[in-house]
Amino acid sequence: MNQNSVELEMESLDGLIILITGANAGIGRALTLDLAHRGATCLMLGRNVTGLEALYDEIMAAGDPEPAIIPFDLSQPNPERIVELVSAINDQYGHLDGLIHNAAILGERVPFQQYKLSTWSEVFRVNFDAPVALTQALLPLLQRPKASSLLFVSSSVGKAPRAYWGAYANSKYALEGFAALLSDELANTTNIRISVVNPGATRTNMRKAAYPAENPASVKAPDALLPLMRHLIAPSSSAPRGYRFDSNGNFEPLVAE
Ligand SMILES: NC(=O)c1ccc[n+]([C@@H]2O[C@H](COP(=O)([O-])OP(=O)(O)OC[C@H]3O[C@@H](n4cnc5c(N)ncnc54)[C@H](OP(=O)(O)O)[C@@H]3O)[C@@H](O)[C@H]2O)c1
């Protein structure tokens, strides 16, 4: 494994158009506020419209660029809705500088033999099928700027699935495989930087659901991830293309060298 440490710099996000899924809560919310505060127009995709409206108000009150709300249930990534979405972004902005696949669900934490297959399918739809379909549809818009970024939020169990993590682990494992495939395929033909990030233990609703007995104060807040995530998103940053990053800054290539 090739492990390196990231050197972070201050990147400008002025005028960038960035779509982030699962913007209303947890890591996605903290990231959206941060990107907006640094000048990006955030296209906030999520199913919880009330939460997205509250975030919209917060961004506007801070005097940051007006975001857009995209109501979308990723468990139903139907092709017509995706075509509609791409056409709306194309009409309004004409391109995309960044796409962050952050939304995910945990599913069940039980032995595989007891895992409900309906939950298994739903986890795959949200964590894998929807990001794949959205990526395919949005690639043309990501190819328009001179440089853009595509960030997949994964997990430690996405690199090495572990017992009792069920569909969550396997969907993230598939997502990392997809990121590797795409990175290899697009390395020489586009200026899209593809990265995977593993946030590590972070104080959110998902972490609480996975570890109900844990003291939330014992894990880092989402804000701790912002410098690294910004580094991976800003087209102007020096982050290498085609790498998987851990929250401690270590990184390794997505495609085996
Ligand atoms: N927190 C950690 O310790 C940790 C560790 C490793 C990896 N991660 C990864 O980090 C990312 C963010 O997780 P988080 O901890 O911030 O979790 P979170 O607080 O549960 O937030 C998840 C986000 O995904 C959205 N979402 C879920 N299902 C959706 C659907 N069907 N359609 C649209 N949006 C949907 C949620 O919206 P609703 O509010 O509507 O549910 C929410 O905005 C995930 O990819 C997760 O796997 C987190």
Side-chain angles (χ1 to χ4, degrees), residues 45-59:
L45 185 150
R47 63 181 167 179
N48 178 342
V49 175
T50 310
L52 292 174
E53 283 170 353
L55 188 54
Y56 176 98
D57 290 344
E58 207 171 321
I59 290 171

PDB file of all heavy atoms in Angstrom, residues 45-59:
ATOM      1  N   LEU A  45     -29.057  18.254  -2.754  1.00  0.00           N
ATOM      2  CA  LEU A  45     -29.982  17.164  -3.090  1.00  0.00           C
ATOM      3  C   LEU A  45     -30.306  16.360  -1.827  1.00  0.00           C
ATOM      4  O   LEU A  45     -29.417  15.999  -1.059  1.00  0.00           O
ATOM      5  CB  LEU A  45     -29.342  16.265  -4.153  1.00  0.00           C
ATOM      6  CG  LEU A  45     -30.196  15.137  -4.725  1.00  0.00           C
ATOM      7  CD1 LEU A  45     -29.809  14.833  -6.167  1.00  0.00           C
ATOM      8  CD2 LEU A  45     -30.107  13.858  -3.876  1.00  0.00           C
ATOM      9  N   GLY A  46     -31.609  16.097  -1.650  1.00  0.00           N
ATOM     10  CA  GLY A  46     -32.008  15.294  -0.491  1.00  0.00           C
ATOM     11  C   GLY A  46     -33.491  15.020  -0.520  1.00  0.00           C
ATOM     12  O   GLY A  46     -34.226  15.582  -1.337  1.00  0.00           O
ATOM     13  N   ARG A  47     -33.928  14.170   0.398  1.00  0.00           N
ATOM     14  CA  ARG A  47     -35.373  13.860   0.423  1.00  0.00           C
ATOM     15  C   ARG A  47     -36.089  14.661   1.502  1.00  0.00           C
ATOM     16  O   ARG A  47     -37.292  14.761   1.517  1.00  0.00           O
ATOM     17  CB  ARG A  47     -35.582  12.359   0.649  1.00  0.00           C
ATOM     18  CG  ARG A  47     -35.049  11.891   1.976  1.00  0.00           C
ATOM     19  CD  ARG A  47     -35.222  10.417   2.210  1.00  0.00           C
ATOM     20  NE  ARG A  47     -34.419  10.042   3.358  1.00  0.00           N
ATOM     21  CZ  ARG A  47     -34.343   8.835   3.850  1.00  0.00           C
ATOM     22  NH1 ARG A  47     -35.020   7.861   3.296  1.00  0.00           N
ATOM     23  NH2 ARG A  47     -33.599   8.596   4.908  1.00  0.00           N
ATOM     24  N   ASN A  48     -35.310  15.222   2.438  1.00  0.00           N
ATOM     25  CA  ASN A  48     -35.905  15.963   3.544  1.00  0.00           C
ATOM     26  C   ASN A  48     -35.945  17.451   3.190  1.00  0.00           C
ATOM     27  O   ASN A  48     -35.020  18.211   3.467  1.00  0.00           O
ATOM     28  CB  ASN A  48     -35.048  15.725   4.799  1.00  0.00           C
ATOM     29  CG  ASN A  48     -35.554  16.495   5.999  1.00  0.00           C
ATOM     30  OD1 ASN A  48     -36.323  17.455   5.872  1.00  0.00           O
ATOM     31  ND2 ASN A  48     -35.122  16.086   7.164  1.00  0.00           N
ATOM     32  N   VAL A  49     -37.058  17.844   2.567  1.00  0.00           N
ATOM     33  CA  VAL A  49     -37.128  19.211   2.031  1.00  0.00           C
ATOM     34  C   VAL A  49     -37.149  20.246   3.154  1.00  0.00           C
ATOM     35  O   VAL A  49     -36.548  21.325   3.030  1.00  0.00           O
ATOM     36  CB  VAL A  49     -38.353  19.351   1.088  1.00  0.00           C
ATOM     37  CG1 VAL A  49     -38.516  20.782   0.617  1.00  0.00           C
ATOM     38  CG2 VAL A  49     -38.172  18.425  -0.121  1.00  0.00           C
ATOM     39  N   THR A  50     -37.776  19.908   4.277  1.00  0.00           N
ATOM     40  CA  THR A  50     -37.791  20.872   5.395  1.00  0.00           C
ATOM     41  C   THR A  50     -36.369  21.145   5.862  1.00  0.00           C
ATOM     42  O   THR A  50     -35.976  22.294   6.109  1.00  0.00           O
ATOM     43  CB  THR A  50     -38.627  20.291   6.577  1.00  0.00           C
ATOM     44  OG1 THR A  50     -39.864  19.843   6.039  1.00  0.00           O
ATOM     45  CG2 THR A  50     -38.874  21.314   7.645  1.00  0.00           C
ATOM     46  N   GLY A  51     -35.581  20.081   5.956  1.00  0.00           N
ATOM     47  CA  GLY A  51     -34.183  20.238   6.377  1.00  0.00           C
ATOM     48  C   GLY A  51     -33.401  21.056   5.360  1.00  0.00           C
ATOM     49  O   GLY A  51     -32.583  21.906   5.717  1.00  0.00           O
ATOM     50  N   LEU A  52     -33.673  20.834   4.073  1.00  0.00           N
ATOM     51  CA  LEU A  52     -32.961  21.574   3.028  1.00  0.00           C
ATOM     52  C   LEU A  52     -33.375  23.047   3.032  1.00  0.00           C
ATOM     53  O   LEU A  52     -32.547  23.932   2.800  1.00  0.00           O
ATOM     54  CB  LEU A  52     -33.224  20.944   1.649  1.00  0.00           C
ATOM     55  CG  LEU A  52     -32.622  19.547   1.436  1.00  0.00           C
ATOM     56  CD1 LEU A  52     -33.059  18.964   0.091  1.00  0.00           C
ATOM     57  CD2 LEU A  52     -31.095  19.582   1.516  1.00  0.00           C
ATOM     58  N   GLU A  53     -34.650  23.296   3.338  1.00  0.00           N
ATOM     59  CA  GLU A  53     -35.110  24.695   3.396  1.00  0.00           C
ATOM     60  C   GLU A  53     -34.438  25.443   4.548  1.00  0.00           C
ATOM     61  O   GLU A  53     -34.059  26.602   4.413  1.00  0.00           O
ATOM     62  CB  GLU A  53     -36.637  24.737   3.523  1.00  0.00           C
ATOM     63  CG  GLU A  53     -37.302  24.459   2.183  1.00  0.00           C
ATOM     64  CD  GLU A  53     -38.822  24.257   2.285  1.00  0.00           C
ATOM     65  OE1 GLU A  53     -39.373  24.195   3.410  1.00  0.00           O
ATOM     66  OE2 GLU A  53     -39.445  24.163   1.208  1.00  0.00           O
ATOM     67  N   ALA A  54     -34.284  24.744   5.680  1.00  0.00           N
ATOM     68  CA  ALA A  54     -33.608  25.379   6.827  1.00  0.00           C
ATOM     69  C   ALA A  54     -32.162  25.700   6.458  1.00  0.00           C
ATOM     70  O   ALA A  54     -31.633  26.768   6.799  1.00  0.00           O
ATOM     71  CB  ALA A  54     -33.674  24.453   8.044  1.00  0.00           C
ATOM     72  N   LEU A  55     -31.532  24.793   5.720  1.00  0.00           N
ATOM     73  CA  LEU A  55     -30.142  25.004   5.296  1.00  0.00           C
ATOM     74  C   LEU A  55     -30.064  26.175   4.302  1.00  0.00           C
ATOM     75  O   LEU A  55     -29.149  27.009   4.377  1.00  0.00           O
ATOM     76  CB  LEU A  55     -29.630  23.703   4.659  1.00  0.00           C
ATOM     77  CG  LEU A  55     -28.158  23.609   4.303  1.00  0.00           C
ATOM     78  CD1 LEU A  55     -27.259  23.916   5.489  1.00  0.00           C
ATOM     79  CD2 LEU A  55     -27.850  22.196   3.776  1.00  0.00           C
ATOM     80  N   TYR A  56     -31.019  26.216   3.389  1.00  0.00           N
ATOM     81  CA  TYR A  56     -31.102  27.331   2.428  1.00  0.00           C
ATOM     82  C   TYR A  56     -31.143  28.662   3.193  1.00  0.00           C
ATOM     83  O   TYR A  56     -30.384  29.587   2.894  1.00  0.00           O
ATOM     84  CB  TYR A  56     -32.360  27.158   1.563  1.00  0.00           C
ATOM     85  CG  TYR A  56     -32.628  28.280   0.597  1.00  0.00           C
ATOM     86  CD1 TYR A  56     -32.250  28.178  -0.743  1.00  0.00           C
ATOM     87  CD2 TYR A  56     -33.266  29.452   1.010  1.00  0.00           C
ATOM     88  CE1 TYR A  56     -32.491  29.218  -1.636  1.00  0.00           C
ATOM     89  CE2 TYR A  56     -33.510  30.491   0.126  1.00  0.00           C
ATOM     90  CZ  TYR A  56     -33.126  30.363  -1.196  1.00  0.00           C
ATOM     91  OH  TYR A  56     -33.369  31.398  -2.076  1.00  0.00           O
ATOM     92  N   ASP A  57     -32.033  28.729   4.209  1.00  0.00           N
ATOM     93  CA  ASP A  57     -32.178  29.977   4.984  1.00  0.00           C
ATOM     94  C   ASP A  57     -30.866  30.343   5.672  1.00  0.00           C
ATOM     95  O   ASP A  57     -30.485  31.515   5.728  1.00  0.00           O
ATOM     96  CB  ASP A  57     -33.286  29.820   6.041  1.00  0.00           C
ATOM     97  CG  ASP A  57     -34.668  29.744   5.388  1.00  0.00           C
ATOM     98  OD1 ASP A  57     -34.791  30.111   4.196  1.00  0.00           O
ATOM     99  OD2 ASP A  57     -35.626  29.314   6.069  1.00  0.00           O
ATOM    100  N   GLU A  58     -30.186  29.326   6.198  1.00  0.00           N
ATOM    101  CA  GLU A  58     -28.932  29.588   6.922  1.00  0.00           C
ATOM    102  C   GLU A  58     -27.868  30.146   5.957  1.00  0.00           C
ATOM    103  O   GLU A  58     -27.139  31.068   6.303  1.00  0.00           O
ATOM    104  CB  GLU A  58     -28.451  28.268   7.547  1.00  0.00           C
ATOM    105  CG  GLU A  58     -27.618  28.479   8.782  1.00  0.00           C
ATOM    106  CD  GLU A  58     -27.326  27.160   9.505  1.00  0.00           C
ATOM    107  OE1 GLU A  58     -28.226  26.289   9.582  1.00  0.00           O
ATOM    108  OE2 GLU A  58     -26.185  27.013   9.980  1.00  0.00           O
ATOM    109  N   ILE A  59     -27.814  29.578   4.769  1.00  0.00           N
ATOM    110  CA  ILE A  59     -26.815  30.030   3.786  1.00  0.00           C
ATOM    111  C   ILE A  59     -27.126  31.459   3.332  1.00  0.00           C
ATOM    112  O   ILE A  59     -26.241  32.314   3.237  1.00  0.00           O
ATOM    113  CB  ILE A  59     -26.771  29.050   2.582  1.00  0.00           C
ATOM    114  CG1 ILE A  59     -26.157  27.720   3.039  1.00  0.00           C
ATOM    115  CG2 ILE A  59     -25.987  29.636   1.416  1.00  0.00           C
ATOM    116  CD1 ILE A  59     -26.237  26.597   2.014  1.00  0.00           C
TER     117      ILE A  59
END
